[in-house]
Amino acid sequence: MKQDLSYSQAWKPMTGSFSARELGDSTIELDIGVLAEVGASFEFAIYSETEQRFKDMEGWSEEAYYFMPLSISHDTTTKLTIARGIAWGIPLSAPVRIDFPGLGYSLHGEWPITVVGSQRSAASRNPIDPVKLMMEELSIASRRRFASSENRGSDNIPAISVDERSFGVTAVTPSIIADNSPPSTVPLSVFFRSKRLFVITMALAAATAIMVWQIVLARQNAEELSRQVSTAIDGLQAERSAHLATQSVLAATKRELASKLTNQRQLNAERERDQALSEATLARSDLQREREAHAATKERLGAPLEQLETERGNSNSNQASPTQPKANVATDRAGLSECDSLAANPNDLRRVANGVPFPELRANALAAIEACDRAIAANPYELRFQYQKARALHAANDGRATAILQELMRVEYPAAFDNAAQLLVNQNRFREADNLYRRGVALGDPDSMIGLADLIRAGKIAPRTFGEDFALYERAASLGHKGAQNEVEKRKGADQVLQFGLGVAKEILSR
């Protein structure tokens, strides 16, 4: 378990070193070398001088990890029983420090493991070679059991009395045995002439058994590994099949959605086209009716108008003023129609009056529509009156404006493109509005230039060139557009302030 204890304190090294040995397959006995108090805390951390990190249950960590012993015994020294897994990953003969916060000191030493048991009594820091151990044990046993009487004086092995007859081998040969003769006894030394032969034979047998056992174990491990690999391959195959099935379903769903989206777009386009055609048809019908009404009015008023013209010609025949044009219906003394006074666009290149701003037109929209109807009735082929009526209808939010503007754009009346684009902007149809604005710009309409520049600055459409918005403002300003002229003046003033600031900064830096 990890604790938030600092290792900045100086640990008191303990004289001597710890020792550790295996008690079994799952436990280790750790001898700390002193007889500690019974009530002391025996939490401990293992620090590897080689790794320069602390041991934990998964490997090595930068932070201290404290272990708890399984049991504690107090004899001549204090011994801790710990889990065998704590030692996993600690190399043999590795310099190790064991810290005991409860005792206030550290133990320094290497990490030896003493293997205990009747057949493994030697302490070793290296892996045990079972063949070598077996040969050593058999060699010791053979020297003790089969030392001959003539060599007993020269060997440094305690002499052991051996009765060869007790170790004899009874050999029975049918061809030489008499009826009542006892079987002959052959001494054991006949079968084993030399103790070396016996040791080598036993060692080879042990080595063969160990090799067979290792081969069987390796085969079992290989079979287990093969089963695991096969299971993993089957799992991967199943996951791949599921992934492919999912991809197929997603692809089919994507195709279906794309098809539905395409159909919906086509349906919307067809609806818009049908609506535009319907509005255009209605506008044509209205224009046709107005033309018929105008023709009837003209036919009905033809004679009075001719008489009036004759009278005006006679009254002005002696004056040097230029000849007056035919009078229009609903005109003032300055020769401008009431439609021009109420609905003209101040930025229309074809206007004949000063024009009315759009907010003011919105307040008098109905009167402007009636005045323009009278002007159209008198001059049905004058496009200026048609545009000013559409502008008044636009101000009144009357849907009839769309059809009239379509007809005017067909004959490329410049100012009509700005109003038609504004109707599209109100519907968030920015791409179509972009196209109409650019057509109006190509015809030199200042309002179309300002509308396009405003859309670019608002981020609704992308500019085609760098600084296109300001270039449009400058062009509209050159055509007399008041709003564009104000914007250009602001821009120039900001540039002058910026240039002044840069000059001051340069002067300060040069000092």
Side-chain angles (χ1 to χ4, degrees), residues 33-349:
V34 295
L35 185 60
E37 296 180 2
V38 176
S41 174
F42 290 98
E43 276 187 335
F44 61 95
I46 301 174
Y47 181 80
S48 172
E49 302 290 347
T50 303
E51 295 288 340
Q52 295 187 353
R53 287 183 295 177
F54 291 94
K55 184 72 176 65
D56 60 16
M57 293 304 295
E58 298 179 355
W60 299 97
S61 174
E62 299 294 337
E63 300 178 5
Y65 188 95
Y66 285 87
F67 297 96
M68 294 291 294
L70 300 176
S71 63
I72 306 172
S73 62
H74 302 278
D75 194 0
T76 56
T77 59
T78 299
K79 302 176 181 63
L80 311 179
T81 303
I82 64 176
R84 178 68 178 85
I86 294 177
W88 292 348
I90 303 178
L92 298 182
S93 303
V96 172
R97 184 186 79 203
I98 301 181
D99 297 334
F100 290 90
L103 301 180
Y105 56 73
S106 298
L107 300 177
H108 293 267
E110 296 183 346
W111 185 261
I113 301 294
T114 302
V115 182
V116 299
S118 59
Q119 294 183 354
R120 297 185 294 174
S121 59
S124 174
R125 295 177 183 174
N126 299 315
I128 299 172
D129 187 347
V131 176
K132 182 178 179 181
L133 181 61
M134 180 67 73
M135 292 180 66
E136 291 176 356
E137 295 291 335
L138 291 175
S139 177
I140 295 171
S142 65
R143 288 201 304 271
R144 290 180 179 177
R145 299 284 289 192
F146 302 107
S148 60
S149 59
E150 59 271 14
N151 294 330
R152 286 172 187 170
S154 60
D155 293 339
N156 294 324
I157 301 174
I160 299 175
S161 176
V162 179
D163 186 359
E164 291 190 3
R165 288 177 296 175
S166 64
F167 293 92
V169 179
T170 302
V172 179
T173 306
S175 60
I176 62 174
I177 297 178
D179 294 337
N180 296 320
S181 61
S184 61
T185 301
V186 181
L188 185 62
S189 59
V190 175
F191 291 91
F192 297 99
R193 298 290 185 180
S194 171
K195 60 182 180 182
R196 291 180 179 274
L197 180 60
F198 178 77
V199 171
I200 293 173
T201 304
M202 294 299 293
L204 290 175
T208 303
I210 292 174
M211 289 179 62
V212 171
W213 176 78
Q214 290 179 346
I215 291 172
V216 172
L217 183 61
R219 183 177 179 181
Q220 292 176 352
N221 292 337
E223 291 177 353
E224 180 64 23
L225 181 60
S226 178
R227 285 194 296 270
Q228 292 177 0
V229 171
S230 178
T231 303
I233 290 175
D234 293 341
L236 290 175
Q237 200 69 18
E239 290 180 1
R240 182 183 179 188
S241 300
H243 178 65
L244 292 176
T246 304
Q247 281 188 335
S248 178
V249 172
L250 290 176
T253 304
K254 185 177 180 180
R255 289 193 297 270
E256 183 179 357
L257 290 176
S259 177
K260 290 182 178 179
L261 182 61
T262 302
N263 294 335
Q264 185 64 33
R265 288 176 177 174
Q266 292 178 353
L267 182 61
N268 293 338
E270 291 176 358
R271 288 177 179 175
E272 292 176 358
R273 185 174 63 252
D274 294 342
Q275 183 179 0
L277 290 175
S278 176
E279 292 176 354
T281 302
L282 291 175
R284 290 191 183 95
S285 300
D286 292 341
L287 288 175
Q288 186 64 30
R289 286 194 297 271
E290 290 175 359
R291 289 173 181 173
E292 293 175 354
H294 173 67
T297 303
K298 185 177 181 179
E299 182 178 357
R300 185 175 62 256
L301 299 176
L305 287 175
E306 291 179 0
Q307 184 179 359
L308 181 61
E309 283 294 326
T310 303
E311 291 177 355
R312 284 184 178 180
N314 294 332
S315 62
N316 298 326
S317 58
N318 296 325
Q319 298 180 4
S321 61
T323 304
Q324 296 291 333
K326 292 184 178 180
N328 292 329
V329 177
T331 59
D332 59 17
R333 295 180 180 179
L336 299 177
S337 70
E338 190 179 6
C339 177
D340 291 320
S341 301
L342 294 178
N345 185 349
N347 299 307
D348 183 7
L349 299 178

Side-chain angles (χ1 to χ4, degrees), residues 352-507:
V352 296
N354 291 331
V356 180
F358 200 78
E360 184 178 343
L361 173 61
R362 184 171 290 168
N364 299 316
L366 295 179
I369 293 171
E370 294 176 356
C372 290
D373 283 337
R374 292 191 296 270
I376 291 172
N379 298 278
Y381 301 106
E382 179 56 55
L383 297 179
R384 184 179 82 253
F385 294 148
Q386 298 285 348
Y387 166 70
Q388 291 171 173
K389 178 183 178 181
R391 186 168 182 260
L393 291 172
H394 181 191
N397 294 323
D398 194 325
R400 291 179 295 169
T402 302
I404 300 175
L405 291 173
Q406 291 288 342
E407 288 293 326
L408 291 170
M409 287 190 294
R410 185 176 62 82
V411 296
E412 295 187 344
Y413 191 90
F417 289 91
D418 172 66
N419 294 90
Q422 283 293 332
L423 294 175
L424 294 175
V425 170
N426 294 337
Q427 303 173 20
N428 295 327
R429 294 161 63 180
F430 301 111
R431 183 175 299 178
E432 299 173 61
D434 182 16
N435 295 331
L436 293 184
Y437 275 136
R438 293 188 182 278
R439 290 175 62 186
V441 169
L443 294 173
D445 178 51
D447 281 342
S448 297
M449 299 174 190
I450 298 302
L452 180 59
D454 289 341
L455 278 188
I456 293 174
R457 288 198 172 181
K460 302 300 182 180
I461 58 175
R464 295 185 179 179
T465 58
F466 179 76
E468 184 181 15
D469 54 341
F470 187 69
L472 289 170
Y473 277 116
E474 288 184 330
R475 185 177 174 186
S478 66
L479 294 174
H481 194 286
K482 299 298 183 182
Q485 291 174 351
N486 294 334
E487 183 67 23
V488 171
E489 290 298 326
K490 290 180 182 179
R491 179 68 175 269
K492 289 181 178 179
D495 289 342
Q496 291 176 358
V497 172
L498 179 60
Q499 293 296 328
F500 177 75
L502 291 175
V504 172
K506 289 180 180 179
E507 184 178 355

